[in-house]
Amino acid sequence: MNELLHLKSAGLKSTLPRLKVLSLFESGSDRHLSAEDVYRKLLASGDDVGLATVYRVLNQFEQAGLLVKHHFEGDKSVFELNQGDHHDHIVCLQCGRVEEFFDATIEQRQKKAAADRGFELHDHSLYIYANCIKPKCKYRN
Amino acid sequence: MNELLHLKSAGLKSTLPRLKVLSLFESGSDRHLSAEDVYRKLLASGDDVGLATVYRVLNQFEQAGLLVKHHFEGDKSVFELNQGDHHDHIVCLQCGRVEEFFDATIEQRQKKAAADRGFELHDHSLYIYANCIKPKCKYRN
DNA sequence: TTGCTAATGCTAATCATTCTCATTTGCAAT
DNA sequence: ATTGCAAATGAGAATGATTAGCATTAGCAA
Ligand SMILES: [Mn+2]
Ligand SMILES: [Mn+2]
Ligand SMILES: [Zn+2]
Ligand SMILES: [Zn+2]
C-alpha cells in the first residue's frame, strides 16, 4: 500500500528486499538500525537478503528521503525512518540507549551562528553523549 | 621547553616523532589535521615518521588531553590542539573550510536537554554543514 | 656507558562499506 | 500469459581508514 507509493515515487522498483527492509523500520521495534542490524534481523526472520543489498537499499532509501542516516560515536552508521520531524540525539555511553529531542532554541542559534559567519546552513549533526541515570541502563546497579 | 613538560606530565617519553607531531600542531598553519595530513606534512619536511606511529601518537595525545579529535562528515577523523576552549564547528561542504564557534546558549540548552531526560551529560559533538558565501571558497565564482 | 623498557616502523590484519559481475527479477509492452 | 530487457540482487573481491604484531631502535635512569 503505502510502501509501494514511497518506492515508486522514488523511482525505485518494488522488490522483495526493499519491501522487507522498509517494513523492518516501519514495524518499529528499534528506531535506529545499522546495516548489520538490518541484515541480522532479516536473517533471523528467515529472509535471505545479501549484506551488499542491505547497504545499497539503505543508501537508496536515504537518498529518496525515506530514511535518515546518523553517525553516532563509533564506526558504523545507523538509519531511522524519516518522519519529517527533525530531531537530535542523546546516546548513553554505557548501554547505547538513544533518546531523541528537539530544541527550537538550539536550532535557531545554529542558523544564526552560520549566517553570522557568512555560511548558508545546509544541515547539522548534534549528538549528546551521556550516561543514563535511570535504572533501566543495563550497566547500572 | 613547553612541549617537553606536556609530554612528561602525560607520562610520555620525549621522542623525535612526538615532538615533530606536536610542533606541527603548534606551528598552526592548519588547525585541523587528519592522520594522513600529519603524515604527509612530516614527509614533506623531510621527517620520516611511519604512518602507524602518527596514528599512535595522535591517539596518545588525545588521551593525554593535548589534542581533541573530531569526526567531520566523511570517513577520516581530524585532530586539533586542545587549548582549553571548547568550541563547535561549521564545515563548508564545497571547500572543506572549517570555522569555529561557541554559543553559550546552545551549550546551556544541551545540558538542560540531557538533564531533563535523566542523563548525565558527558560531552557532545555539534557540526554544522554549510556552504561558504565568501569569495574565498575555492568552489565559488 | 650500560641496560632495559617504551617507542618506532614495517607489514599484515581488521572492519565497515563499496564495487564487480554473473545471474535473477520486476514490469511494461505485446 | 509471454517475452524482453533494464534494473536489482548476491557472493565475493576490493577499498580505505585504522589497528595489531613483532623485530629493531632509541630514550633515559642508574
Ligand atoms: Mn532519531
Ligand atoms: Mn576546532
Ligand atoms: Zn544507559
Ligand atoms: Zn567553502
Side-chain angles (χ1 to χ4, degrees), chain A residues 20-134:
Chain A
K20 285 174 181 164
V21 169
L22 196 44
S23 67
L24 231 192
F25 280 98
E26 285 173 336
S27 73
S29 45
D30 301 306
R31 278 189 61 74
H32 306 94
L33 300 173
S34 69
E36 191 68 30
D37 290 338
V38 171
Y39 179 65
R40 289 193 191 298
K41 292 212 173 207
L42 291 181
L43 282 193
S45 62
D47 300 311
D48 277 313
V49 179
L51 181 56
T53 300
V54 170
Y55 273 102
R56 272 186 301 238
V57 168
L58 290 177
N59 287 329
Q60 291 160 345
F61 283 3
E62 191 205 0
Q63 246 124 284
L66 289 172
L67 297 179
V68 182
K69 188 196 285 199
H70 297 294
H71 300 91
F72 296 161
E73 194 122 298
D75 24 28
K76 63 196 63 162
S77 45
V78 300
F79 295 79
E80 75 177 309
L81 214 51
N82 180 1
Q83 297 176 312
D85 62 324
H86 163 78
H87 55 255
D88 294 305
H89 300 83
I90 304 179
V91 183
C92 175
L93 292 169
Q94 302 185 290
C95 69
R97 192 162 63 88
V98 176
E99 193 115 344
E100 313 185 331
F101 76 97
F102 177 84
D103 185 304
T105 303
I106 292 179
E107 300 290 325
Q108 208 47 56
R109 309 263 335 165
Q110 287 182 60
K111 222 168 288 174
K112 179 169 164 50
D116 285 355
R117 289 166 183 74
F119 284 93
E120 211 169 69
L121 186 148
H122 182 269
D123 68 347
H124 69 265
S125 74
L126 168 55
Y127 305 119
I128 293 180
Y129 301 105
N131 293 318
C132 287
I133 292 302
K134 308 184 179 176

Side-chain angles (χ1 to χ4, degrees), chain A residues 73-74 125, chain B residues 69-78 125 127 129:
Chain A
E73 194 122 298
S125 74
Chain B
K69 189 197 284 201
H70 298 293
H71 303 277
F72 295 160
E73 195 123 299
D75 26 25
K76 62 196 65 163
S77 46
V78 300
S125 73
Y127 305 119
Y129 301 105

Side-chain angles (χ1 to χ4, degrees), chain B residues 21-76:
Chain B
V21 169
L22 196 44
S23 68
L24 231 191
F25 279 98
E26 286 172 334
S27 73
S29 44
D30 301 307
R31 277 190 61 73
H32 307 94
L33 299 173
S34 69
E36 191 68 29
D37 289 339
V38 171
Y39 180 65
R40 289 192 191 298
K41 290 212 174 204
L42 291 182
L43 282 193
S45 61
D47 300 309
D48 279 312
V49 179
L51 180 55
T53 299
V54 170
Y55 272 102
R56 272 186 302 239
V57 168
L58 290 177
N59 286 329
Q60 291 160 345
F61 282 3
E62 189 204 1
Q63 247 122 284
L66 289 172
L67 296 179
V68 181
K69 189 197 284 201
H70 298 293
H71 303 277
F72 295 160
E73 195 123 299
D75 26 25
K76 62 196 65 163

Side-chain angles (χ1 to χ4, degrees), chain B residues 74-87:
Chain B
D75 26 25
K76 62 196 65 163
S77 46
V78 300
F79 294 80
E80 75 177 308
L81 214 50
N82 181 1
Q83 297 175 312
D85 62 324
H86 163 78
H87 56 255

